[in-house]
Amino acid sequence: MNNNLTSNDTSIKNQNLELENELNEIENIEMEYSNKEPESTKRSLKDKIGNFKIVQSMKKKVWPVLLPFIVVMSILVILPLVGIIIFSIVDPTGDSVKFSFSLRNFIQLITTESIMIVLGLSLLYAFVAAILTVMMAYPIALIMSQLKNKLLAKNMWVLATLPIWISMILKVLGLRSVFMIISVSSVGTPFAIVIGMIYMFLPFAIAPIYNGLENQDSIYYYAALDLKASKLKAFFHTTFRASLPGVFAGFTLVIVQAATSLLVVRYMGDGKINLITNIIENYFFRGTDFGYGATIAVVLAVLLLLIMGIMKLISNKFEVRGSKKWKSSSNPVIS
């Protein structure tokens, strides 16, 4: 009995001794790794630059990037616009320093029938020119977007946007010369003015329509064909519908420029047709009434701003905000 107890005690002691040795080995290994210095990692130049406080402070802020743009826009756009608005609502009192607030110019403009007719006529000219320009631009943009030869498509793109590179007055004089050769009597007619607007602003309609057609996926068109829809119906329900935001953008660009174009009206109208830009020029630069000219310009700008807002609202119906995907039609396209 005593011999058994002694052998058990001995085995327990041996086990404890082995366990103690293992613990000592583990502690030695931990101490060895804890004393080892971390390996130095090589940082790239991009990481080093990114660690600067100035760079880190600019990472999550957009305004430093937009600051030059804001300064330029403030000087070239906002300040002249504020000046025009101020001249439209102040009334000179005979002193070069003192002015008084007055809405006299706006009341005079609204109650002057001839000016309002010219204003409406100017918007009508611009509207007709914008519609015809978009109708001419769409087939050109569609052909360009469906060309398989990308080199040819790029050359067509350059050819379509080439008139933008040329001085506007040179283009107007060139078109006027063509009209003078073909038919002298055509100069000074509404037809000449509308053709002049189409010629001048056609590239501004082609560009957004082409972008809208180029970025869309043709899978919807082929899916409509698989559903036995006719080619015409599949085109209008998929391709044309998806390109409508580009169409509205092109229409807006053209109508805004056509309504404010002075050179086209002056040289193609030949003094026989006066639109609102001629009247604004007369009031501004011929010393008639600077304040009244500023009032007409402000009203024209507000009307164009309303047109742009309406076009944007209509365009949003066909575009998903924050995404490049277009809203798909809720109606299945079948024959």
Side-chain angles (χ1 to χ4, degrees), residues 52-256:
F52 285 111
K53 289 183 179 179
I54 297 176
V55 178
Q56 288 180 351
S57 63
M58 292 175 64
K59 274 185 178 178
K60 296 182 180 179
K61 295 178 180 178
V62 181
W63 65 265
V65 181
L66 294 179
L67 186 60
F69 173 75
I70 293 172
V71 172
V72 172
M73 292 297 289
S74 300
I75 295 173
L76 299 181
V77 178
I78 296 176
L79 285 180
L81 187 60
V82 170
I84 294 296
I85 294 174
I86 290 174
F87 276 108
S88 68
I89 59 176
V90 299
D91 190 16
T93 57
D95 193 313
S96 59
V97 178
K98 294 181 181 178
F99 293 94
S100 64
F101 174 77
S102 173
L103 296 177
R104 179 179 61 83
N105 289 331
F106 286 94
I107 297 172
Q108 183 183 347
L109 174 62
I110 295 172
T111 55
T112 306
E113 186 178 356
S114 59
I115 299 292
M116 294 303 291
I117 290 174
V118 173
L119 182 60
L121 196 61
S122 302
L123 294 177
L124 180 62
Y125 272 85
F127 181 80
V128 173
I131 291 288
L132 295 176
T133 304
V134 169
M135 290 175 64
M136 293 180 65
Y138 198 92
I140 299 172
L142 183 63
I143 293 171
M144 289 168 55
S145 65
Q146 293 186 348
L147 283 176
K148 294 181 180 178
N149 189 336
K150 293 302 175 186
L151 181 61
L152 181 60
K154 289 180 179 178
N155 288 330
M156 281 195 67
W157 170 258
V158 172
L159 190 63
T161 57
L162 186 62
I164 301 177
W165 307 353
I166 305 172
S167 172
M168 185 176 287
I169 191 167
L170 288 179
K171 288 188 293 182
V172 173
L173 291 175
L175 184 64
R176 177 186 165 87
S177 301
V178 172
F179 271 80
M180 296 290 283
I181 293 171
I182 296 174
S183 174
V184 178
S185 60
S186 61
V187 179
T189 61
F191 174 76
I193 292 179
V194 171
I195 293 297
M197 290 176 176
I198 295 172
Y199 170 67
M200 296 293 289
F201 308 122
L202 183 63
F204 296 97
I206 294 176
I209 296 173
Y210 173 73
N211 286 333
L213 291 168
E214 179 70 10
N215 293 328
Q216 66 178 267
D217 196 347
S218 60
I219 189 171
Y220 299 107
Y221 174 76
Y222 292 111
L225 294 179
D226 288 341
L227 293 174
K228 306 302 180 184
S230 64
K231 288 186 178 180
L232 187 63
K233 195 169 185 178
F235 169 78
F236 277 103
H237 280 265
T238 58
T239 306
F240 181 73
R241 191 178 192 280
S243 65
L244 282 178
V247 172
F248 289 120
F251 177 84
T252 305
L253 284 173
V254 174
I255 195 172
V256 169

Side-chain angles (χ1 to χ4, degrees), residues 252-324:
T252 305
L253 284 173
V254 174
I255 195 172
V256 169
Q257 294 188 84
T260 56
S261 174
L262 176 62
L263 291 176
V264 174
V265 178
R266 176 185 291 177
Y267 290 101
M268 301 306 294
D270 200 28
K272 299 174 184 175
I273 297 177
N274 287 321
L275 297 183
I276 199 67
T277 49
N278 298 106
I279 295 175
I280 293 174
E281 183 195 25
N282 290 334
Y283 280 111
F284 264 110
F285 300 108
R286 298 185 182 179
T288 309
D289 190 344
F290 193 90
Y292 193 59
T295 304
I296 300 172
V298 169
V299 172
L300 178 62
V302 171
L303 290 175
L304 293 176
L305 192 63
L306 285 175
I307 293 173
M308 292 171 64
I310 293 170
M311 289 297 108
K312 182 59 180 174
L313 288 176
I314 298 173
S315 178
N316 287 342
K317 299 284 185 184
F318 301 92
E319 185 176 358
V320 178
R321 289 185 178 180
S323 171
K324 292 184 178 180

